[in-house]
Amino acid sequence: MTGPILPGATLGVLGSGQLGRMFAIAARRLGYRVHVLSPDDDTPTGQVADQEVRADYLDLDQVARFAQGVSVVTFEFENVPAETTRICEQFAPVRPAGSVLFTSQNRRREKTYLRDAGLPVTPFVAVENVAELKSALLQLGIPAVLKTADWGYDGKGQVVIRSLDEAAAAWEKLAVPAAILEAFIDFASELSVVAARGLSGEFVSYGPIGNSHSRHILDISVCPARVPAEIAKEAIEISRAVLERMNVVGVLCVEFFLTRDGRLLINETAPRPHNSGHLTIDGHVSCQFEQQVRAICGLPLGSSEQRTPCAMANLLGDLWEPGEPDWAAVLGSPSVKLHLYGKRAARIGRKMGHLTALAASVDEAEQLAIAARNAMIRHTS
Ligand code: AMP
């Protein structure tokens, strides 16, 4: 085992979106160099990295060269193929390990793994054809949610089924060979815990963070979440168990449903910083991206102490529809921090940036974030 990877070294990141961008900013602040590999160029991460390699994840020669040029490899994109991390592992440590990514990137593997570990997950059944789907509907009850096993995020690849008659059409709509059917959870709220685990097993966490979604995409996050202390404690303990069990070195987010009768069920995990954790950049002593840098470099973790109640509002491309947002209006709100990801084209549903509002209470912070976001919208008369 070699020593920690110290400032001045080069860190490699697979995937080039906003998560990689904020990771690269944290890494560069700490004096590291950053190389990024993805199939695109002029990317949110590439714009702030030292080197942007444009290559397909399955161009294994390029991937090997990339891994040879860095001290450690991490990822910001969940659908990096297993072959890619396997090649990287021959040349540099991959943190979290490729096996963690492999488990989490497929809902069926992920949920089976967590359930077998005795952790509370949304009730589910694996299905591979309409007949299996119908019997799963009888087992789990209606309504239920059919989700693709692979490539699922932000509600993509899922269909709510409200009667047995809808089974065939839902299966056709999904059009994949493997899926899972989940019980529909009539949740009281959605929560997440973002946590980091170091090389020698030390653990820090943020939250729980309270999340609300719109059209299946995260809309608003608040920290701390409005839940009783014992629920908060339990969410953190479950998250600790997930990171320990998976032997995560890095950051992982656990998303939960809190049921109306006070039970926590894991909806999914993401072995990387998470959209709900963006508020840690402004709200906490060390943010989730700094923890990712520290953890993958084998350094001590930073403090995850919260400085002030805060709320985050996502900025989706929809806000650009009436015209370029009114930046002066949002920057005129002194307790609101604007983060933009450098994406050239705004599209409906595309994450373009976020706002974090800091205030004396979570309610106030949430109102401030929403008001600042509304103030950005151009009104065409
Ligand atoms: P996912 O992509 O699985 O995280 O789902 C996105 C969002 O869809 C979640 O944050 C929930 O708001 C909703 N959702 C997903 N699965 C379920 C479920 N089993 N029951 C109720 N709502 C769900």
Side-chain angles (χ1 to χ4, degrees):
M1 184 80 225
T2 51
I5 297 161
L6 297 171
T10 302
L11 314 181
V13 57
L14 300 168
S16 58
Q18 61 270 16
L19 300 177
R21 179 186 183 90
M22 291 180 270
F23 164 78
I25 290 170
R28 295 192 67 155
R29 200 179 56 233
L30 285 169
Y32 290 94
R33 292 177 180 273
V34 178
H35 291 180
V36 54
L37 182 142
S38 84
D40 303 307
D41 62 6
D42 189 24
T43 59
T45 311
Q47 289 163 13
V48 296
D50 293 86
Q51 204 180 100
E52 180 170 45
V53 179
R54 182 180 189 179
D56 193 277
Y57 294 116
L58 290 172
D59 180 345
L60 300 182
D61 290 335
Q62 286 258 43
V63 169
R65 255 198 305 282
F66 172 77
Q68 281 161 32
V70 300
S71 296
V72 59
V73 173
T74 191
F75 42 81
E76 64 96 61
F77 172 63
E78 227 157 303
N79 290 309
V80 170
E83 291 93 307
T84 312
T85 52
R86 256 200 302 274
I87 294 292
C88 289
E89 273 161 358
Q90 293 175 15
F91 303 102
V94 175
R95 294 175 181 155
S99 56
V100 176
L101 182 63
F102 184 70
T103 302
S104 334
Q105 70 190 178
N106 173 287
R107 294 187 201 274
R108 181 171 165 176
R109 277 197 295 273
E110 174 187 50
K111 284 221 158 67
T112 306
Y113 180 92
L114 295 169
R115 184 180 60 189
D116 291 352
L119 293 159
V121 293
T122 312
F124 74 98
V125 175
V127 290
E128 292 185 0
N129 54 52
V130 182
E132 285 181 8
L133 173 57
K134 285 189 176 161
S135 89
L137 283 164
L138 293 172
Q139 192 182 327
L140 291 175
I142 286 166
V145 190
L146 182 65
K147 299 182 176 181
T148 55
D150 289 304
W151 287 93
Y153 68 98
D154 285 349
K156 289 193 173 63
Q158 48 179 281
V159 189
V160 178
I161 302 180
R162 298 189 186 279
S163 84
L164 209 52
D165 298 340
E166 291 174 17
W171 186 254
E172 226 164 86
K173 185 169 175 206
L174 220 58
V176 288
I180 62 167
L181 185 74
E182 281 182 16
F184 184 87
I185 308 298
D186 178 25
F187 51 77
S189 65
E190 292 187 81
L191 305 174
S192 56
V193 171
V194 173
R197 187 165 174 272
L199 208 48
S200 45
E202 67 273 32
F203 174 89
V204 297
S205 65
Y206 303 93
I209 299 161
N211 301 318
S212 42
H213 293 77
S214 169
R215 291 176 293 145
H216 293 285
I217 304 174
L218 184 64
D219 183 37
I220 301 282
S221 292
V222 299
C223 192
R226 303 171 181 99
V227 290
E230 64 274 14
I231 297 285
K233 189 161 170 267
E234 192 186 338
I236 290 168
E237 285 318 310
I238 294 171
S239 305
R240 184 198 295 271
V242 172
L243 274 86
E244 279 177 4
R245 183 83 186 202
M246 290 183 146
N247 199 15
V248 170
V249 175
V251 170
L252 181 140
C253 173
V254 184
E255 290 182 64
F256 293 96
F257 295 131
L258 176 62
T259 64
R260 294 187 188 277
D261 57 355
R263 284 174 301 127
L264 284 165
L265 297 173
I266 299 176
N267 171 33
E268 63 177 350
T269 63
R272 49 159 175 79
H274 190 257
N275 194 164
S276 63
H278 292 356
L279 46 69
T280 62
I281 297 176
D282 302 302
H284 294 69
V285 173
S286 303
C287 72
Q288 60 171 353
F289 300 101
E290 179 173 339
Q291 305 288 18
Q292 185 183 18
V293 175
R294 286 170 175 257
I296 67 167
C297 290
L299 293 167
L301 300 179
S303 162
S304 62
E305 193 186 323
Q306 184 161 3
R307 295 189 221 246
T308 168
C310 55
M312 186 237 33
N314 261 342
L315 305 179
L316 300 186
D318 313 40
L319 292 166
W320 274 246
E321 281 289 287
E324 183 74 12
D326 185 348
W327 301 124
V330 66
L331 292 166
S333 187
S335 304
V336 174
K337 306 285 284 189
L338 172 65
H339 299 254
L340 291 171
Y341 306 147
K343 297 183 184 177
R344 300 236 178 269
R347 288 194 295 272
I348 300 286
R350 190 176 199 201
K351 291 175 181 170
M352 302 296 289
H354 70 268
L355 300 176
T356 306
L358 309 170
S361 71
V362 157
D363 289 349
E364 216 181 298
E366 185 174 26
Q367 281 164 18
L368 204 55
I370 292 171
R373 185 169 64 182
N374 287 338
M376 283 174 43
I377 302 170
R378 293 276 178 201
H379 293 285
T380 43
S381 49

